[in-house]
């Protein structure tokens, strides 16, 4: 896929200096792995899983003087080295959280030679919606996310607006469900169920309630992209829930 100018953390590469010219931005095909899952009657089922996604940026520095050219290259290196949120002109309203995996080397003998940067993501190898979708309510609701990927993780903040502590909490999202049993969510307090570095986190007043997750619960709350699904936070006490997710693009 060939595309054009890019920005990192809101700063465009071509804006760094007028002598820096972006020649090409190319998105590599996602790198996949094939974990094997056993079948009930023997054999294995191979389900491809995205492992990483990389974007290569080719640019030129239109400066013949070696010292000034080196200074401009250092400017590009500083722009790229810490990674962050990558955005592309060809993917409006989408973003990719990346690290820089290849910095350019300067060819002193050929000042016209193109230079290359590479950005890679492994934590979330999908383009995501630049703005999250936020849904707030106190009953069963319909969550509609943008995107073309199969699904995306959902975070929930639940507030106990009842008259007594919540001791059992059920969270539903599409075809996934997580139940916390034998907990204490005081009146007016919040329970945070989030995804951090790809793993589930659930806390009340800073204390983890993951040990209180029932055995049949799913690992994550997942919502399909590109279509709606039903979400709910359920308990004997009335609740207010905030569901937050970013659509993903395959």
């Amino acid at each position: 896929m060939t595309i054009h100018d890019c920005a990192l953390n809101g700063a465009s590469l071509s804006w760094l200096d007028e002598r820096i010219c972006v020649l090409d931005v190319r998105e590599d095909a996602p790198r996949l792995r094939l974990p094997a899952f056993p079948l009930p009657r023997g054999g294995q089922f191979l389900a491809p899983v995205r492992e990483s996604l990389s974007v290569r940026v080719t640019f030129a520095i239109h400066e013949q003087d070696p010292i000034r050219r080196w200074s401009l290259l250092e400017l590009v290196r500083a722009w790229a080295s810490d990674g962050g949120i990558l955005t592309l002109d060809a993917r409006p309203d989408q973003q990719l959280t990346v690290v820089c995996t290849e910095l350019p080397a300067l060819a002193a003998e050929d000042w016209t030679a193109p230079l290359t940067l590479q950005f890679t993501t492994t934590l979330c190898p999908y383009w995501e919606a630049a703005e999250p979708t936020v849904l707030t309510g106190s009953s069963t609701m319909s969550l509609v996310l943008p995107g073309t990927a199969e699904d995306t993780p959902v975070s929930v903040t639940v507030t106990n607006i009842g008259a007594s502590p919540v001791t059992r909490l059920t969270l539903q999202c599409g075809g996934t469900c997580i139940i916390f049993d034998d907990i204490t969510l005081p009146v007016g307090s919040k329970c945070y169920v989030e995804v951090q570095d790809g793993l589930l986190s659930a806390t009340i007043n800073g204390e983890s309630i993951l040990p209180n997750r029932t055995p049949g619960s799913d690992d994550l709350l997942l919502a399909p992209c590109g279509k709606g699904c039903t979400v709910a936070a359920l308990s004997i006490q009335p609740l207010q829930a905030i569901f937050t997710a970013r659509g993903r693009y395959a």
Side-chain angles (χ1 to χ4, degrees), residues 5-79:
D5 199 14
C6 62
L8 194 61
N9 302 318
S12 171
L13 176 56
S14 60
W15 293 352
L16 296 180
D17 191 280
E18 62 182 8
R19 291 164 290 182
I20 299 171
C21 177
V22 178
L23 303 177
D24 184 45
V25 182
R26 187 171 297 272
E27 184 180 332
D28 294 342
R31 182 176 178 181
L32 305 177
R33 59 184 175 89
L34 291 172
F37 300 94
L39 295 173
R41 296 184 178 182
Q44 293 181 328
F45 171 70
L46 300 179
V49 176
R50 283 199 183 197
E51 192 170 60
S52 65
L53 184 63
S54 296
V55 176
R56 292 182 177 272
V57 181
T58 304
F59 65 98
I61 299 178
H62 294 166
E63 173 57 64
Q64 189 170 0
D65 181 82
I67 295 177
R68 289 195 290 265
R69 181 171 166 79
W70 180 262
S71 177
L72 290 171
L73 180 62
E74 288 301 298
L75 189 64
V76 173
R77 284 173 172 263
W79 173 83

Side-chain angles (χ1 to χ4, degrees), residues 166-171 178-183 191-193 200-204 209-214 217 221:
V166 169
T167 58
R168 182 179 175 91
L169 174 63
T170 300
L171 301 175
I178 297 177
I179 300 174
F180 298 100
D181 200 7
D182 194 25
I183 61 173
C191 173
Y192 299 94
V193 179
L200 184 69
S201 168
T203 59
I204 296 175
I209 60 170
L210 285 182
N212 301 85
R213 184 173 50 169
T214 60
S217 295
L221 292 173

Side-chain angles (χ1 to χ4, degrees), residues 133 142-152 173-175 222-231 247-248:
T133 298
S142 179
L143 177 65
V144 181
L145 297 174
T148 57
E150 182 178 357
D151 53 40
T152 188
C173 186
L222 298 173
C225 297
K227 56 183 178 180
C229 72
T230 299
V231 297
R248 288 181 175 179

